[in-house]
Amino acid sequence: MAPAQNTQSKIDPVCGMDLSESSDVSMVMHSDSSFYFCGMNCEKRFKKYPKKFQGKPLIKLNKIWKVFKMGGVETKVLRGLDMHIWEGDFVAIIGHSGSGKSTALNMIGLLDKPTSGTVFLKGKDISLLDDEGRAELRSKTFGFVFQQYNLIPWLTAFENATLPLIFLGKKIEAEKIEARFEEMGLKDRMTHRPFELSGGEQQRTALLRALANDPEIILGDEPTGNLDSVMGSKILKVLIDLNKVHKKTLIIVTHDADIAGQADQVIVFKDGSLLRDHQVHKKISSHNNDAS
């Protein structure tokens, strides 16, 4: 009798890439089912944690298209994107400028809606939520760290960091927030406004804001891109500690192959979809630092 086929026989169970148009893919038999992989990295991860990768991913993007229209011109940024993110992973998304990586991050974090396709969170279709539902889920589930900091200029560092709590109607525990500022080396800067802070201080404040609601998922879009190497390394260490110690799912869009090298999973974008064999990140030079 022929072995049973996985119900998603041509979907890489690890990264979610659709391999149905590919003939030269790796196949592994497990529990009388066939599993297909885009490259060695995904195959190795599956063999190490087969039970995990036969469950439901924390985040699943299914056939996501994003088309921007300006006048009579259409720009296809995401082209039928399929992708999996697994709970507790540190995922690095890389690719050249314009590859769609930042747009995909916006889809994950409910900052934008797909033109077509479905976004699942814990098996639930969240692409159907109305604006109010999206805002509520976004504020409860995600913490965002951007390259540009996005601090409100007329608010102090303390006030910026507590904004997510205000939006959620939660009590602000001043002593707890102050303790976090002290941990970040910012206790003496809490009453300063963004223009009075250095780039590193602004990014640490933005990180405190991202963590204020104790999010399950932290999203970073080039979070160290505007920082020098020393401060960038410090911010990255904080983010990785949140993943490894506090078990937060961490997703970072980056151009930096060194950051990608520390991730559990690397996902490479090209022309709005995934590129096979994610180890190609080792060949991507760090000068490609434009956001997509």
Side-chain angles (χ1 to χ4, degrees):
M1 181 181 293
Q5 290 290 310
N6 186 343
T7 56
Q8 293 183 320
S9 59
K10 281 286 188 175
I11 300 294
D12 186 318
V14 179
C15 69
M17 186 175 185
D18 187 347
L19 302 168
S20 46
E21 300 299 320
S22 304
S23 57
D24 57 337
V25 296
S26 174
M27 190 270 284
V28 169
M29 293 297 300
H30 181 82
S31 300
D32 294 327
S33 293
S34 303
F35 296 89
Y36 297 85
F37 303 94
C38 68
M40 288 300 298
N41 186 59
C42 286
E43 182 179 338
K44 287 179 180 178
R45 293 203 74 204
F46 179 86
K47 288 180 176 179
K48 190 173 183 179
Y49 304 108
K51 185 176 180 180
K52 170 181 177 177
F53 294 118
Q54 290 178 80
K56 286 186 178 180
L58 176 66
I59 298 165
K60 178 181 176 180
L61 274 60
N62 182 240
K63 306 301 179 193
I64 297 294
W65 285 80
K66 183 62 181 181
V67 181
F68 293 100
K69 296 182 180 180
M70 184 173 292
V73 179
E74 287 191 351
T75 302
K76 297 175 182 177
V77 181
L78 298 179
R79 301 166 179 259
L81 175 65
D82 294 290
M83 185 169 71
H84 292 169
I85 302 290
W86 294 89
E87 186 173 5
D89 272 4
F90 168 18
V91 179
I93 299 176
I94 67 173
H96 296 292
S97 175
S99 61
K101 55 190 187 296
S102 292
T103 302
L105 196 73
N106 290 341
M107 297 296 161
I108 292 170
L110 297 174
L111 294 174
D112 199 359
K113 293 182 178 181
T115 303
S116 64
T118 312
V119 181
F120 295 93
L121 176 65
K122 298 180 180 178
K124 179 181 178 181
D125 181 356
I126 60 174
S127 52
L128 298 176
L129 292 173
D130 59 20
D131 290 343
E132 184 178 349
R134 290 164 63 84
E136 181 180 2
L137 182 59
R138 184 169 59 239
S139 63
K140 289 180 178 179
T141 307
F142 298 97
F144 300 89
V145 189
F146 300 99
Q147 182 177 359
Q148 299 298 332
Y149 318 139
N150 293 334
L151 300 176
I152 296 178
W154 57 86
L155 298 182
T156 65
F158 183 90
E159 291 167 339
N160 268 285
T162 55
L163 277 177
L165 300 176
I166 295 172
F167 292 148
L168 288 172
K170 289 187 176 182
K171 180 182 177 182
I172 296 174
E173 300 179 47
E175 290 185 2
K176 187 175 181 180
I177 301 297
E178 289 173 9
R180 290 179 178 174
F181 269 89
E182 186 168 14
E183 289 173 4
M184 286 282 190
L186 293 172
K187 188 175 183 180
D188 296 333
R189 314 296 282 170
M190 290 191 302
T191 60
H192 289 65
R193 289 175 172 76
F195 70 90
E196 299 173 304
L197 303 175
S198 68
E201 290 168 341
Q202 290 186 62
Q203 188 60 298
R204 280 178 281 168
T205 300
L207 182 53
L208 287 171
R209 179 186 58 193
L211 301 177
N213 62 341
D214 192 26
E216 298 176 52
I217 304 166
I218 300 171
L219 305 178
D221 194 351
E222 301 281 6
T224 64
N226 281 341
L227 305 176
D228 61 51
S229 59
V230 174
M231 185 53 63
S233 295
K234 289 181 179 179
I235 293 294
L236 182 62
K237 183 180 184 304
V238 172
L239 290 169
I240 292 177
D241 283 348
L242 287 166
N243 170 250
K244 302 305 180 188
V245 178
H246 299 282
K247 308 305 179 184
K248 306 291 187 184
T249 301
L250 176 62
I251 308 169
I252 295 180
V253 164
T254 182
H255 69 278
D256 192 331
D258 291 333
I259 293 177
Q262 299 181 63
D264 300 309
Q265 178 75 28
V266 177
I267 294 179
V268 183
F269 273 58
K270 182 179 181 181
D271 298 331
S273 57
L274 300 194
L275 186 64
R276 281 187 58 184
D277 185 5
H278 309 301
Q279 293 305 307
V280 74
H281 78 275
K282 295 178 179 178
K283 303 174 184 177
I284 294 181
S285 61
S286 61
H287 73 271
N288 294 310
N289 57 0
D290 294 325
S292 57

